[in-house]
Amino acid sequence: MKKILVTGGTVFVSRYVAEYYVSKGYDVYVLNRNSKEQSKGVKLIQADRHNLGDVLRDFRFDVVIDTAYNSHDVETLLSALGSYGDYILISSSAVYPETAKQPFTESAPLASNKFWGKYGTDKIQAESTLLKTNPNAYIVRPPYLYGPMNNVYREAFVFDCALSNRKFYLPKDGEMKLQFFYIGDLCKFIDVLLEVRPFQHIFNVGNKESISVRKWVELCYQVVGSEAKFTNVYRNIEQRNYFSFYDYEYYLDVSKQYLLMPSVTPLLEGLQKSFDWYKHNTEKVVRKPFLDYIDNNLI
């Protein structure tokens, strides 16, 4: 039985990863402050990752799956770990500057992105710190992740609109493209990395097909059992006041992921799973006041 350490383990990505490996029969440890409910089947190591001391020193993990946000996160964890095997960092597509040539390849230059700001530059530093210490670590850079346990108000916002039979306020003509990746596919790709151990150590991951925001909203309404009706918003106002995404279209080259893992979850199927979870966990999503803004400024 492989022993896995998942940093965090209480919210969206890290929680799903932890539960995924519990379901596969792994011995899963999570590292967090125990301020939120723990998943069934995990073993808690209660600590603040910024002040670990010797809490990890006597463990030997076969795999470390880290969602570190910055270089300090990586430094403190690496310093505290005893013996470990593979290290996988879940990074972000936010490391690519919006001015770079698209689609972004893994070898594209990394720099600040005006939409992601400090989040992106901190992820760049986390990657750099990790590879300096452990050049054999793997780094994955997803676009927008979605699926069960997503606490970010993205697909859940559209579900709420559909459940309330609301007309949807769509940015401009609705043709802005988005690229997604199902959280379960992220876990499956980690499985592939651990099994194949490719020579390449940095991978963009995601669905190779992007989708317009109009079509994405239509799919979200479809899984709820409703039909989307739209009002297009052409006014010069900040899109994030009333919509889940920045006015920013980008595309990752994920061809190297597809060479190792040629199939992914269809978007409609993934959204259905996301909605099935959301119906019973609405309180776990961090809502933003999109609807208030729409009601007070757009209607």
Side-chain angles (χ1 to χ4, degrees):
M1 182 187 296
K2 282 191 176 181
K3 186 178 292 186
I4 291 184
L5 175 67
V6 178
T7 59
T10 60
V11 176
F12 189 27
V13 175
S14 60
R15 188 180 192 96
Y16 192 100
V17 168
E19 294 191 10
Y20 174 84
Y21 284 103
V22 167
S23 73
K24 288 174 67 74
Y26 287 62
D27 193 12
V28 179
Y29 289 76
V30 295
L31 174 66
N32 62 66
R33 292 172 295 175
N34 199 25
S35 60
K36 295 182 175 69
E37 179 187 6
Q38 304 297 325
S39 296
K40 292 181 179 177
V42 302
K43 296 177 180 177
L44 172 65
I45 301 174
Q46 184 173 342
D48 183 337
R49 71 172 296 162
H50 302 121
N51 185 25
L52 290 170
D54 294 329
V55 70
L56 299 176
R57 194 65 63 196
D58 295 332
F59 289 92
R60 199 284 173 188
F61 298 106
D62 297 292
V63 184
V64 175
I65 302 177
D66 192 10
T67 55
Y69 285 99
N70 53 53
S71 60
H72 182 62
D73 286 352
V74 173
E75 287 170 354
T76 53
L77 185 61
L78 288 173
S79 296
L81 283 168
S83 175
Y84 70 92
D86 293 290
Y87 194 120
I88 295 174
L89 174 65
I90 299 174
S91 185
S92 170
S93 57
V95 299
Y96 299 114
E98 80 283 357
T99 53
K101 181 181 177 182
Q102 296 192 33
F104 301 135
T105 64
E106 291 89 346
S107 60
L110 309 184
S112 177
N113 182 302
K114 72 176 183 180
F115 294 97
W116 296 112
K118 189 174 185 298
Y119 172 76
T121 54
D122 280 354
K123 282 287 191 180
I124 293 171
Q125 292 168 6
E127 290 187 11
S128 175
T129 297
L130 174 60
L131 292 178
K132 284 177 183 175
T133 306
N134 182 356
N136 292 317
Y138 286 104
I139 294 171
V140 292
R141 298 171 177 163
Y144 295 112
L145 290 166
Y146 78 102
M149 305 184 198
N150 188 0
N151 66 318
V152 182
Y153 203 40
R154 289 178 181 153
E155 61 262 32
F157 164 57
V158 188
F159 295 154
D160 281 347
C161 292
L163 290 166
S164 300
N165 232 6
R166 293 178 64 106
K167 185 179 289 187
F168 196 87
Y169 284 74
L170 195 66
K172 300 174 185 174
D173 61 1
E175 291 306 309
M176 185 182 83
K177 297 292 194 300
L178 298 174
Q179 189 175 20
F180 290 98
F181 199 42
Y182 181 61
I183 184 63
D185 290 336
L186 176 68
C187 294
K188 290 177 182 176
F189 188 69
I190 292 173
D191 286 343
V192 171
L193 293 179
L194 296 174
E195 179 181 350
V196 177
R197 300 182 184 279
F199 178 77
Q200 179 176 333
H201 284 265
I202 299 176
F203 286 88
N204 290 336
V205 293
N207 295 0
K208 62 183 174 182
E209 296 89 6
S210 56
I211 185 172
S212 71
V213 292
R214 175 185 291 273
K215 182 62 178 175
W216 176 73
V217 170
E218 288 174 343
L219 292 179
C220 289
Y221 270 70
Q222 182 178 334
V223 300
V224 173
S226 183
E227 182 179 352
K229 293 181 172 54
F230 297 100
T231 292
N232 297 88
V233 180
Y234 290 99
R235 291 162 57 183
N236 187 24
I237 56 177
E238 173 55 52
Q239 182 170 297
R240 285 277 288 169
N241 288 336
Y242 65 93
F243 188 58
S244 314
F245 299 92
Y246 291 111
D247 184 10
Y248 172 47
E249 181 176 289
Y250 72 92
Y251 183 54
L252 298 175
D253 179 342
V254 294
S255 56
K256 291 175 180 173
Q257 167 210 316
Y258 272 75
L259 289 175
L260 296 176
M261 190 178 80
S263 63
V264 300
T265 301
L267 189 56
L268 182 62
E269 180 183 331
L271 286 171
Q272 184 66 63
K273 292 177 180 178
S274 185
F275 179 60
D276 290 343
W277 173 84
Y278 180 62
K279 286 186 293 186
H280 305 288
N281 296 277
T282 56
E283 76 287 353
K284 295 178 182 176
V285 175
V286 181
R287 282 173 171 72
K288 295 199 170 184
F290 299 142
L291 295 177
D292 288 342
Y293 185 89
I294 291 167
D295 291 343
N296 293 325
N297 297 278
L298 298 182
I299 292 181

